[in-house]
Amino acid sequence: MAKVRNLEDLLVHELKDLYDAEQQLVEALPLLAQAVTSEDLKGALEAHLEQTRGHVERLSQVFKALGKRATRETCEAMQGLVTEAQQVLEEGMEPNVLDAAIIAAAQKVEHYEMASYGTARTFAHMLGQHEAAQLLQETLDEEEQTDKNLSKLANTLNMQAVAVENQDGRKSGSKRSR
Ligand SMILES: [Fe+2]
Ligand SMILES: [Fe+2]
């Protein structure tokens, strides 16, 4: 990490972290979209993949507005979130449960992004970098909307996952009674 001496350096550090995080997501989202069963969830993940490509592009505009070069700094938090999401795919879950698990993983990602964009937007605003602040706000709005959409989908899909759990419960119950 480059030396951080002031709030502007800290903002640039946050932006490099986000620039890396968004590019990690461009690679990871197609794998998640492929793995889900619900067509609505698949559509939501694919739509957010397109938005995420836009977030990478918008961050390069933010760097430009600040007169800085757009570079990546490894975002270890996003690496961890993506690794956990990928592990979910390897656990051989029942499809409805897998969909619920992927929504959970995707919402953790959205909340991480919301926290990061909210902070970066506020720093930019405090530094009088209003164009950068405006661009960061636009992405923050999209992340918040995505999180809300995922919550709505979770309401329906988690109900289906509950039904699966009940079926398994009955099966193991009947085994025990034998
Ligand atoms: Fe994003
Ligand atoms: Fe996002």
Side-chain angles (χ1 to χ4, degrees):
M1 177 166 142
K3 196 156 188 187
V4 172
R5 293 153 305 182
N6 53 38
L7 195 63
E8 192 192 2
D9 290 349
L10 188 57
L11 170 61
V12 171
H13 166 69
E14 294 289 333
L15 293 174
K16 287 177 179 175
D17 182 281
L18 269 170
Y19 199 49
D20 183 68
E22 295 280 20
Q23 289 180 69
Q24 286 188 46
L25 280 176
V26 168
E27 284 173 38
L29 279 170
L31 297 175
L32 300 184
Q34 250 173 38
V36 299
T37 302
S38 156
E39 286 300 319
D40 288 345
L41 179 55
K42 194 186 290 281
L45 293 173
E46 282 169 353
H48 197 52
L49 171 62
E50 269 322 296
Q51 265 186 340
T52 300
R53 291 200 175 103
H55 296 172
V56 174
E57 175 53 33
R58 198 176 279 138
L59 278 170
S60 68
Q61 292 172 30
V62 174
F63 282 109
K64 208 169 171 191
L66 296 171
K68 302 284 178 189
R69 209 161 53 90
T71 48
R72 292 169 73 161
E73 219 168 77
T74 304
C75 176
E76 290 180 28
M78 189 57 74
Q79 276 183 342
L81 291 169
V82 166
T83 300
E84 285 196 358
Q86 286 167 343
Q87 281 167 354
V88 157
L89 304 183
E90 291 159 16
E91 288 186 19
M93 291 182 189
E94 200 283 335
N96 289 328
V97 179
L98 179 66
D99 282 7
I102 289 180
I103 291 185
Q107 286 197 283
K108 286 179 191 177
V109 167
E110 291 315 304
H111 280 246
Y112 178 80
E113 292 186 291
M114 282 153 59
S116 301
Y117 277 104
T119 301
R121 181 271 333 264
T122 300
F123 286 173
H125 197 65
M126 289 170 82
L127 290 162
Q129 296 285 358
H130 299 301
E131 186 189 346
Q134 177 57 38
L135 290 163
L136 292 165
Q137 182 67 51
E138 282 173 33
T139 297
L140 177 59
D141 290 344
E142 290 180 2
E143 308 291 16
E144 285 175 349
Q145 190 54 53
T146 297
D147 181 55
K148 281 189 192 138
N149 294 346
L150 289 171
S151 286
K152 260 188 227 151
L153 278 172
N155 274 340
T156 320
L157 296 176
N158 289 351
M159 287 305 287
Q160 291 166 10
V162 167
V164 169
E165 191 185 73
N166 287 343
Q167 279 166 15
D168 282 357
R170 274 199 292 279
K171 263 184 234 153
S172 61
S174 64
K175 255 182 222 160
R176 244 178 272 130
S177 65
R178 242 182 261 147

